[in-house]
Amino acid sequence: MQFSLWLALVGAGALISFTPGAGAINTMSNALNSGFRRSIWGILGQQAALVVHITIVALGVGLLVANSPVAFNIIRYAGAAYLVYLGVRQFLAKPSLDAESAQALRDEPRWSMFRRGLWVNLLNPKAIVFFLAFLPQFIRLDRPVLPQYLIAAATVIVIDVLVMWLFFAGTARSFQRFTRDARGQRVLNRIFGVLFVGVGILLATIH
């Protein structure tokens, strides 16, 4: 991949990562509930989903999904339902002021956070369609394709990890003062619950 083309990919990848979405909401929620450092496990789950999406596009399966209304809608509505489920659960979550409950929340298993991050990004067919339109612009067919896709995948993933962890998870730190009392926790739970539900509804309704 040419250096100038790679720089363009870096710029586009950064712009995409900074665009708020379900992944950003999930990252901030994890950072608030489990702490800045442990939020990385949810982010890694989201990156695993990106690997799957990029692989699907590279293999040409993404084109089949994009052109199959049935397959697209099944994935779309499943993803929307999952986001709404996360939102309702967050909205109804009770404040945890006692030390034992708060510690249990912060000690959520790493695999649980990873798995939630994976499904949040995986059940988004629009990501497949987006990568289908986005990645080929940086791939030159007159050169070996596999190395180019590997470079593109590594670039997009590294950028997304940095943005999710250093920006969105880091931003969540400024909200931690609201978690010190029941009212603050309830407000944050409802805000993030509404955000999850809102993104889920957008996923289901926007074509």
Side-chain angles (χ1 to χ4, degrees), residues 52-68 128-129 131-132 135-136 145 149:
V52 174
H53 285 151
I54 293 172
T55 302
I56 287 174
V57 170
L59 294 176
V61 181
L63 190 60
L64 297 177
V65 174
N67 292 329
S68 172
I128 299 176
V129 175
F131 278 119
L132 189 63
L135 281 185
V145 173
Y149 269 109

mmCIF file of all heavy atoms in Angstrom, residues 52-68 128-129 131-132 135-136 145 149:
data_model
loop_
_atom_site.group_PDB
_atom_site.id
_atom_site.type_symbol
_atom_site.label_atom_id
_atom_site.label_comp_id
_atom_site.label_asym_id
_atom_site.label_seq_id
_atom_site.Cartn_x
_atom_site.Cartn_y
_atom_site.Cartn_z
ATOM 1 N N VAL A 52 -14.003 -9.612 11.833
ATOM 2 C CA VAL A 52 -14.992 -10.440 11.131
ATOM 3 C C VAL A 52 -15.583 -9.664 9.957
ATOM 4 O O VAL A 52 -15.705 -10.192 8.846
ATOM 5 C CB VAL A 52 -16.111 -10.883 12.100
ATOM 6 C CG1 VAL A 52 -17.216 -11.609 11.342
ATOM 7 C CG2 VAL A 52 -15.541 -11.789 13.185
ATOM 8 N N HIS A 53 -15.952 -8.397 10.187
ATOM 9 C CA HIS A 53 -16.535 -7.583 9.122
ATOM 10 C C HIS A 53 -15.564 -7.419 7.950
ATOM 11 O O HIS A 53 -15.953 -7.553 6.780
ATOM 12 C CB HIS A 53 -16.911 -6.197 9.662
ATOM 13 C CG HIS A 53 -18.133 -6.206 10.503
ATOM 14 N ND1 HIS A 53 -18.346 -5.305 11.529
ATOM 15 C CD2 HIS A 53 -19.232 -7.004 10.490
ATOM 16 C CE1 HIS A 53 -19.511 -5.548 12.098
ATOM 17 N NE2 HIS A 53 -20.059 -6.577 11.489
ATOM 18 N N ILE A 54 -14.316 -7.126 8.254
ATOM 19 C CA ILE A 54 -13.327 -6.913 7.197
ATOM 20 C C ILE A 54 -13.075 -8.211 6.441
ATOM 21 O O ILE A 54 -12.930 -8.213 5.216
ATOM 22 C CB ILE A 54 -12.015 -6.361 7.797
ATOM 23 C CG1 ILE A 54 -12.251 -4.945 8.347
ATOM 24 C CG2 ILE A 54 -10.904 -6.333 6.744
ATOM 25 C CD1 ILE A 54 -11.078 -4.379 9.127
ATOM 26 N N THR A 55 -13.040 -9.331 7.168
ATOM 27 C CA THR A 55 -12.854 -10.628 6.522
ATOM 28 C C THR A 55 -14.012 -10.942 5.589
ATOM 29 O O THR A 55 -13.815 -11.436 4.468
ATOM 30 C CB THR A 55 -12.732 -11.741 7.581
ATOM 31 O OG1 THR A 55 -11.629 -11.452 8.449
ATOM 32 C CG2 THR A 55 -12.505 -13.090 6.925
ATOM 33 N N ILE A 56 -15.225 -10.639 6.050
ATOM 34 C CA ILE A 56 -16.412 -10.866 5.223
ATOM 35 C C ILE A 56 -16.331 -10.051 3.927
ATOM 36 O O ILE A 56 -16.620 -10.552 2.839
ATOM 37 C CB ILE A 56 -17.687 -10.498 6.015
ATOM 38 C CG1 ILE A 56 -17.959 -11.553 7.080
ATOM 39 C CG2 ILE A 56 -18.892 -10.383 5.086
ATOM 40 C CD1 ILE A 56 -19.104 -11.211 8.008
ATOM 41 N N VAL A 57 -15.919 -8.811 4.059
ATOM 42 C CA VAL A 57 -15.796 -7.948 2.882
ATOM 43 C C VAL A 57 -14.695 -8.464 1.955
ATOM 44 O O VAL A 57 -14.870 -8.536 0.735
ATOM 45 C CB VAL A 57 -15.504 -6.498 3.305
ATOM 46 C CG1 VAL A 57 -15.142 -5.645 2.096
ATOM 47 C CG2 VAL A 57 -16.715 -5.910 4.016
ATOM 48 N N ALA A 58 -13.545 -8.840 2.537
ATOM 49 C CA ALA A 58 -12.415 -9.309 1.732
ATOM 50 C C ALA A 58 -12.754 -10.592 0.974
ATOM 51 O O ALA A 58 -12.281 -10.809 -0.146
ATOM 52 C CB ALA A 58 -11.195 -9.539 2.623
ATOM 53 N N LEU A 59 -13.583 -11.439 1.567
ATOM 54 C CA LEU A 59 -13.958 -12.695 0.920
ATOM 55 C C LEU A 59 -15.092 -12.521 -0.081
ATOM 56 O O LEU A 59 -15.451 -13.465 -0.787
ATOM 57 C CB LEU A 59 -14.369 -13.728 1.980
ATOM 58 C CG LEU A 59 -13.258 -14.208 2.919
ATOM 59 C CD1 LEU A 59 -13.824 -15.139 3.973
ATOM 60 C CD2 LEU A 59 -12.144 -14.900 2.133
ATOM 61 N N GLY A 60 -15.679 -11.345 -0.125
ATOM 62 C CA GLY A 60 -16.756 -11.098 -1.056
ATOM 63 C C GLY A 60 -18.125 -11.451 -0.521
ATOM 64 O O GLY A 60 -19.143 -11.227 -1.186
ATOM 65 N N VAL A 61 -18.180 -11.989 0.715
ATOM 66 C CA VAL A 61 -19.466 -12.353 1.308
ATOM 67 C C VAL A 61 -20.278 -11.108 1.619
ATOM 68 O O VAL A 61 -21.510 -11.128 1.588
ATOM 69 C CB VAL A 61 -19.258 -13.199 2.583
ATOM 70 C CG1 VAL A 61 -20.595 -13.600 3.194
ATOM 71 C CG2 VAL A 61 -18.443 -14.446 2.257
ATOM 72 N N GLY A 62 -19.575 -10.017 1.935
ATOM 73 C CA GLY A 62 -20.267 -8.773 2.259
ATOM 74 C C GLY A 62 -21.178 -8.311 1.136
ATOM 75 O O GLY A 62 -22.253 -7.757 1.387
ATOM 76 N N LEU A 63 -20.736 -8.543 -0.102
ATOM 77 C CA LEU A 63 -21.559 -8.152 -1.240
ATOM 78 C C LEU A 63 -22.861 -8.949 -1.268
ATOM 79 O O LEU A 63 -23.919 -8.422 -1.601
ATOM 80 C CB LEU A 63 -20.779 -8.372 -2.540
ATOM 81 C CG LEU A 63 -21.393 -7.795 -3.815
ATOM 82 C CD1 LEU A 63 -21.554 -6.286 -3.688
ATOM 83 C CD2 LEU A 63 -20.535 -8.141 -5.019
ATOM 84 N N LEU A 64 -22.766 -10.232 -0.886
ATOM 85 C CA LEU A 64 -23.967 -11.074 -0.840
ATOM 86 C C LEU A 64 -24.931 -10.583 0.231
ATOM 87 O O LEU A 64 -26.149 -10.532 0.013
ATOM 88 C CB LEU A 64 -23.575 -12.530 -0.579
ATOM 89 C CG LEU A 64 -22.709 -13.208 -1.645
ATOM 90 C CD1 LEU A 64 -22.339 -14.620 -1.210
ATOM 91 C CD2 LEU A 64 -23.438 -13.232 -2.985
ATOM 92 N N VAL A 65 -24.388 -10.222 1.399
ATOM 93 C CA VAL A 65 -25.227 -9.719 2.489
ATOM 94 C C VAL A 65 -25.882 -8.396 2.083
ATOM 95 O O VAL A 65 -27.075 -8.167 2.316
ATOM 96 C CB VAL A 65 -24.406 -9.528 3.782
ATOM 97 C CG1 VAL A 65 -25.241 -8.861 4.865
ATOM 98 C CG2 VAL A 65 -23.874 -10.878 4.269
ATOM 99 N N ALA A 66 -25.081 -7.537 1.471
ATOM 100 C CA ALA A 66 -25.602 -6.221 1.067
ATOM 101 C C ALA A 66 -26.704 -6.355 0.025
ATOM 102 O O ALA A 66 -27.623 -5.548 -0.020
ATOM 103 C CB ALA A 66 -24.469 -5.360 0.519
ATOM 104 N N ASN A 67 -26.610 -7.393 -0.802
ATOM 105 C CA ASN A 67 -27.587 -7.575 -1.873
ATOM 106 C C ASN A 67 -28.721 -8.518 -1.505
ATOM 107 O O ASN A 67 -29.578 -8.812 -2.338
ATOM 108 C CB ASN A 67 -26.888 -8.087 -3.136
ATOM 109 C CG ASN A 67 -25.973 -7.039 -3.753
ATOM 110 O OD1 ASN A 67 -26.244 -5.842 -3.647
ATOM 111 N ND2 ASN A 67 -24.903 -7.478 -4.379
ATOM 112 N N SER A 68 -28.702 -9.018 -0.271
ATOM 113 C CA SER A 68 -29.766 -9.920 0.179
ATOM 114 C C SER A 68 -30.598 -9.225 1.260
ATOM 115 O O SER A 68 -30.172 -9.159 2.420
ATOM 116 C CB SER A 68 -29.168 -11.219 0.739
ATOM 117 O OG SER A 68 -30.184 -12.007 1.334
ATOM 118 N N ILE A 128 -20.884 -3.862 7.705
ATOM 119 C CA ILE A 128 -20.429 -4.652 6.562
ATOM 120 C C ILE A 128 -20.576 -3.842 5.279
ATOM 121 O O ILE A 128 -19.659 -3.780 4.449
ATOM 122 C CB ILE A 128 -21.227 -5.966 6.459
ATOM 123 C CG1 ILE A 128 -21.026 -6.819 7.718
ATOM 124 C CG2 ILE A 128 -20.814 -6.751 5.222
ATOM 125 C CD1 ILE A 128 -21.852 -8.084 7.742
ATOM 126 N N VAL A 129 -21.751 -3.231 5.120
ATOM 127 C CA VAL A 129 -22.004 -2.429 3.927
ATOM 128 C C VAL A 129 -21.035 -1.243 3.870
ATOM 129 O O VAL A 129 -20.512 -0.881 2.802
ATOM 130 C CB VAL A 129 -23.462 -1.930 3.904
ATOM 131 C CG1 VAL A 129 -23.701 -1.003 2.720
ATOM 132 C CG2 VAL A 129 -24.419 -3.111 3.858
ATOM 133 N N PHE A 131 -17.959 -1.021 5.252
ATOM 134 C CA PHE A 131 -16.623 -1.481 4.887
ATOM 135 C C PHE A 131 -16.573 -1.914 3.428
ATOM 136 O O PHE A 131 -15.533 -1.796 2.774
ATOM 137 C CB PHE A 131 -16.188 -2.632 5.802
ATOM 138 C CG PHE A 131 -15.645 -2.179 7.119
ATOM 139 C CD1 PHE A 131 -16.254 -2.551 8.308
ATOM 140 C CD2 PHE A 131 -14.518 -1.378 7.181
ATOM 141 C CE1 PHE A 131 -15.759 -2.123 9.529
ATOM 142 C CE2 PHE A 131 -14.008 -0.946 8.396
ATOM 143 C CZ PHE A 131 -14.627 -1.322 9.573
ATOM 144 N N LEU A 132 -17.693 -2.425 2.927
ATOM 145 C CA LEU A 132 -17.761 -2.820 1.523
ATOM 146 C C LEU A 132 -17.564 -1.614 0.611
ATOM 147 O O LEU A 132 -16.948 -1.713 -0.452
ATOM 148 C CB LEU A 132 -19.118 -3.483 1.243
ATOM 149 C CG LEU A 132 -19.306 -4.151 -0.119
ATOM 150 C CD1 LEU A 132 -18.331 -5.315 -0.271
ATOM 151 C CD2 LEU A 132 -20.735 -4.636 -0.271
ATOM 152 N N LEU A 135 -13.434 0.144 2.268
ATOM 153 C CA LEU A 135 -12.122 -0.471 2.121
ATOM 154 C C LEU A 135 -11.623 -0.597 0.684
ATOM 155 O O LEU A 135 -10.441 -0.357 0.423
ATOM 156 C CB LEU A 135 -12.118 -1.851 2.799
ATOM 157 C CG LEU A 135 -11.971 -1.850 4.321
ATOM 158 C CD1 LEU A 135 -11.870 -3.275 4.841
ATOM 159 C CD2 LEU A 135 -10.746 -1.057 4.753
ATOM 160 N N PRO A 136 -12.497 -0.987 -0.274
ATOM 161 C CA PRO A 136 -11.987 -1.148 -1.641
ATOM 162 C C PRO A 136 -11.340 0.109 -2.220
ATOM 163 O O PRO A 136 -10.522 0.004 -3.141
ATOM 164 C CB PRO A 136 -13.252 -1.528 -2.432
ATOM 165 C CG PRO A 136 -14.120 -2.205 -1.427
ATOM 166 C CD PRO A 136 -13.894 -1.430 -0.155
ATOM 167 N N VAL A 145 -3.527 -8.525 -3.072
ATOM 168 C CA VAL A 145 -4.657 -7.991 -2.305
ATOM 169 C C VAL A 145 -4.555 -8.299 -0.814
ATOM 170 O O VAL A 145 -4.848 -7.442 0.033
ATOM 171 C CB VAL A 145 -5.984 -8.538 -2.876
ATOM 172 C CG1 VAL A 145 -7.159 -8.137 -1.987
ATOM 173 C CG2 VAL A 145 -6.195 -8.029 -4.296
ATOM 174 N N TYR A 149 -5.153 -5.809 2.493
ATOM 175 C CA TYR A 149 -6.257 -5.945 3.448
ATOM 176 C C TYR A 149 -5.731 -6.092 4.876
ATOM 177 O O TYR A 149 -6.337 -5.575 5.828
ATOM 178 C CB TYR A 149 -7.140 -7.143 3.088
ATOM 179 C CG TYR A 149 -8.290 -6.790 2.176
ATOM 180 C CD1 TYR A 149 -8.322 -7.191 0.845
ATOM 181 C CD2 TYR A 149 -9.357 -6.023 2.659
ATOM 182 C CE1 TYR A 149 -9.384 -6.851 0.014
ATOM 183 C CE2 TYR A 149 -10.414 -5.684 1.839
ATOM 184 C CZ TYR A 149 -10.430 -6.095 0.513
ATOM 185 O OH TYR A 149 -11.481 -5.751 -0.300
#
